[in-house]
Amino acid sequence: MTATSRAPRRPRIRPRGPPPAPTPIRTARGARSAAADERVLAEFLEASLRVPDLALPPRTKRFSFPPAPPPPPPHEVSSQALASGDADAAAESGAFTVAGAVDAREVREAVEASRAVFAATDEVKREPLARWFRKRDDPVSGGEEFCWFRPVSHDDDRALDAALPGSTYRVFREKMDTVASKMENVAKNAIRVLSDNVKNPKDSALCREAPSILRLTLYNSNKSKTCWDESGSTDPPPNSHALSIHLSGDDRKICLRNQGGSTIFSLPAGSMLVTIGKKIQEWSNGQFKAAVGEALFEMTDEPGPFISLQLVYSPDNLRLTEVGRQARSIDRPKFVSFRDQILVALILLLLFYLFWC
């Protein structure tokens, strides 16, 4: 038995480099590559196919709503009209201005007297007068506030006079009390006018939940910002006040914000901006809208740091004012319409002809 021998297999060596050209395709005209066929096919398709020219439709102008106009500036009334109750204080903007309410010189003197109060040492502001002073945590405008609670008690007078040096508080009290009293008179007249015009007030009385505060704010920056979102023991809650009154001894730009947006207007020196608080809005069932006012200023406007003056007013009780409104409506004379007068005249004429003719 003979053994068969097989030749050893040779290992396949893979060539390095690009792959070989495609195998020629046999046709009736001979052999040619697939690349040549693809080129011929592309030329045939390009010559035979008619692709229409396509174009996008012209862009139509999109309809866009025009930007909402800013709300109008608040209505201006005089002090006499407000005191007589003839002014329409129930403005839709939630605010109105009182022209010539205070002599501008008196306001400037009171503000100047308050600079000596702010000049007290930090130790005094932290320990004996911590109830009246507080730092503003706002990184934009910085500064601090002095809150003068109204009416001022005898104990508060004595504590402030003893803590502040010399006659600082006595001078401040003399100058600022005149201005604050006039602001409170405007607030009381405004509350009376609002109660006279309210249509469907809540049954609950609008009683005092927080004291009225004369807020003096010292700004160290050229940007102002409202402080209702700040925390502090002397800050009343946003819905705890009825009215807010801004006053300045110089012509000042005011930013007024309400539900309709914001607007900037000029407040003349000695005039007051009265804004309605959320407490009035809730008490009137939304008839009177709340608004927030804020003084705008630049560092070039003042030789020193700017001081704003604001009265946050809370009445003792609005139920008494409502009773007075109802009593005045009862005593108001009743007028007979022209149609009723003609009807009565015709009835009298008919009776005359029936009984006398």
Side-chain angles (χ1 to χ4, degrees):
M1 185 174 179
T2 61
T4 60
S5 62
R6 294 182 180 180
R9 294 182 180 181
R10 296 181 179 180
R12 294 182 179 181
I13 302 174
R14 295 181 180 179
R16 297 181 180 179
T23 305
I25 301 176
R26 292 286 179 178
T27 62
R29 294 175 294 178
R32 63 182 176 186
S33 65
D37 291 337
E38 291 178 358
R39 185 174 63 253
V40 173
L41 178 62
E43 292 176 355
F44 170 76
L45 293 177
E46 185 178 357
S48 61
L49 295 179
R50 295 180 179 180
V51 181
D53 295 333
L54 300 177
L56 294 176
R59 293 185 61 184
T60 58
K61 186 178 181 181
R62 295 182 178 179
F63 179 77
S64 59
F65 291 96
H75 299 286
E76 179 180 309
V77 299
S78 62
S79 301
Q80 293 78 13
L82 185 63
S84 60
D86 296 333
D88 184 13
E92 294 182 358
S93 61
F96 62 94
T97 60
V98 182
V102 185
D103 187 358
R105 180 180 54 84
E106 294 180 349
V107 182
R108 289 192 295 267
E109 291 178 355
V111 171
E112 189 62 29
S114 66
R115 296 185 185 276
V117 176
F118 281 107
T121 61
D122 293 339
E123 290 76 10
V124 172
K125 296 176 182 179
R126 282 195 302 263
E127 185 59 31
L129 300 183
R131 179 172 177 260
W132 292 271
F133 283 97
R134 78 181 188 94
K135 291 286 186 180
R136 290 172 54 90
D137 297 331
D138 184 7
V140 177
S141 57
E144 57 184 335
E145 290 181 353
F146 175 74
C147 298
W148 200 31
F149 301 92
R150 307 279 299 178
V152 186
S153 65
H154 179 69
D155 293 337
D156 290 350
D157 272 338
R158 184 171 54 185
L160 288 167
D161 191 19
L164 295 174
S167 59
T168 299
Y169 178 70
R170 289 192 296 271
V171 175
F172 168 81
R173 173 68 186 264
E174 178 184 356
K175 300 292 184 181
M176 192 61 71
D177 192 59
T178 302
V179 176
S181 298
K182 293 181 179 181
M183 297 175 73
E184 290 171 347
N185 289 335
V186 169
K188 292 176 182 178
N189 290 330
I191 290 292
R192 180 174 56 85
V193 174
L194 289 173
S195 63
D196 286 343
N197 289 274
V198 68
K199 297 178 181 179
N200 187 25
K202 284 187 176 181
D203 295 334
S204 59
L206 186 59
C207 58
R208 178 192 294 267
E209 296 179 5
S212 297
I213 302 175
L214 187 66
R215 186 197 303 270
L216 289 93
T217 305
L218 176 69
Y219 296 92
N220 292 331
S221 176
N222 63 344
K223 295 181 181 179
S224 60
K225 184 178 180 181
T226 52
C227 53
W228 288 121
D229 56 348
E230 298 173 1
S231 60
S233 58
T234 58
D235 243 357
N239 59 350
S240 66
H241 75 281
L243 296 175
S244 176
I245 300 180
H246 291 266
L247 176 63
S248 176
D250 301 307
D251 296 343
R252 188 66 57 189
K253 292 288 186 179
I254 299 290
C255 178
L256 178 65
R257 297 196 302 273
N258 53 24
Q259 295 179 352
S262 62
T263 184
I264 297 177
F265 66 97
S266 297
L267 184 67
S271 298
M272 297 184 189
L273 171 66
V274 183
T275 57
I276 295 174
K278 290 185 178 180
K279 194 173 181 181
I280 289 287
Q281 177 176 323
E282 295 173 355
W283 173 76
S284 64
N285 286 316
Q287 179 182 348
F288 306 125
K289 306 300 182 183
V292 176
E294 154 181 38
L296 305 178
F297 63 94
E298 297 291 338
M299 289 298 291
T300 55
D301 295 341
E302 302 289 337
F306 174 75
I307 297 178
S308 66
L309 186 61
Q310 176 189 11
L311 176 67
V312 181
Y313 183 76
S314 299
D316 293 332
N317 197 324
L318 256 188
R319 188 182 296 276
L320 298 177
T321 311
E322 183 182 352
V323 171
R325 178 182 62 85
Q326 295 175 353
R328 285 191 294 273
S329 63
I330 295 175
D331 299 336
R332 188 176 301 165
K334 297 178 175 58
F335 297 96
V336 181
S337 63
F338 183 70
R339 184 183 62 180
D340 294 339
Q341 293 178 12
I342 294 178
L343 182 61
V344 172
L346 291 176
I347 294 175
L348 293 177
L349 184 61
L350 180 61
L351 293 175
F352 176 77
Y353 275 105
L354 290 176
F355 291 98
W356 294 97
C357 297

